[in-house]
Amino acid sequence: MSIRGDYDPNNIFAQILRGDMACCKVYEDKHVLAFMDVFPQAPGHTLVIPKEAGRNLLDTSDEVLAKAIPRLKKIALGVEKAFSPDGIIITQFNGEPAGQSVFHLHFHIIPRFDGQHFDRHGKGEPADKDVLHAQAQSIANAITKLDI
Ligand code: DGP
């Protein structure tokens, strides 16, 4: 599969955006949606997606990115406040050989703790929905308390 290509309106994240598929929502506004990754590489693994349709970073307009990146930072600050990690990975993959498996642009926010086990990308186990809901709620609460 090429790094370029048509946007598939039935990809999982498009279905989540339409409300056709459930997610554990963390944050939503006019420009982005954030929700828990169901195959987390570590507890608190959150995904941020622009609402605008686009396969990846390379075919997304500067205007969409200019809205998405400050929101990505805000949600990462919420993850930091909720989880108090030692570090946070923010990552994003473009094209299947690069590790992308869902072809709607998304950013991963992954809390990291010194010495804590960390699953490789794409190797996370499905998480318990109740745990994800509780994590989403605690990140959402943290975001509302940010001084920004
Ligand atoms: P990537 O491999 O970078 O395209 O990341 C896709 C991520 O999406 C991956 O970490 C697993 C996650 N994922 C796959 N299916 C679903 C789903 O139905 N719901 C949620 N919340 N996450 C999903």
Side-chain angles (χ1 to χ4, degrees):
M1 188 183 285
S2 162
I3 193 168
R4 302 284 173 179
D6 294 332
Y7 179 82
D8 173 7
N10 286 320
N11 74 72
I12 293 164
F13 294 169
Q15 292 180 44
I16 289 174
L17 279 170
R18 284 198 297 271
D20 293 343
M21 182 172 276
C23 72
C24 298
K25 193 196 292 185
V26 167
Y27 176 88
E28 181 171 18
D29 66 17
K30 194 172 161 202
H31 300 288
V32 302
L33 175 68
F35 50 94
M36 304 312 294
D37 193 307
V38 290
F39 299 102
Q41 286 176 255
H45 185 162
T46 304
L47 299 169
V48 181
I49 66 174
K51 290 193 168 177
E52 181 97 355
R55 282 171 65 89
N56 57 48
L57 190 84
L58 304 186
D59 65 6
T60 298
S61 71
D62 290 356
E63 288 73 21
V64 168
L65 293 175
K67 300 288 187 197
I69 298 300
R71 289 165 170 82
L72 171 65
K73 178 182 171 186
K74 176 176 172 162
I75 296 154
L77 288 167
V79 170
E80 180 190 35
K81 202 172 181 73
F83 281 81
S84 302
D86 300 310
I88 293 181
I89 294 172
I90 296 181
T91 191
Q92 181 276 322
F93 303 93
N94 300 280
E96 197 167 13
Q100 187 176 10
S101 61
V102 179
F103 296 92
H104 180 111
L105 173 61
H106 53 279
F107 298 91
H108 299 260
I109 301 172
I110 310 171
R112 295 289 296 120
F113 292 88
D114 290 332
Q116 186 197 58
H117 171 75
F118 174 57
D119 286 319
R120 279 176 43 222
H121 179 67
K123 301 292 176 197
E125 296 290 322
D128 182 280
K129 289 283 183 318
D130 291 340
V131 170
L132 290 183
H133 273 297
Q135 292 172 344
Q137 193 57 54
S138 93
I139 300 167
N141 288 342
I143 289 170
T144 65
K145 293 186 185 126
L146 291 173
D147 280 336
I148 53 167

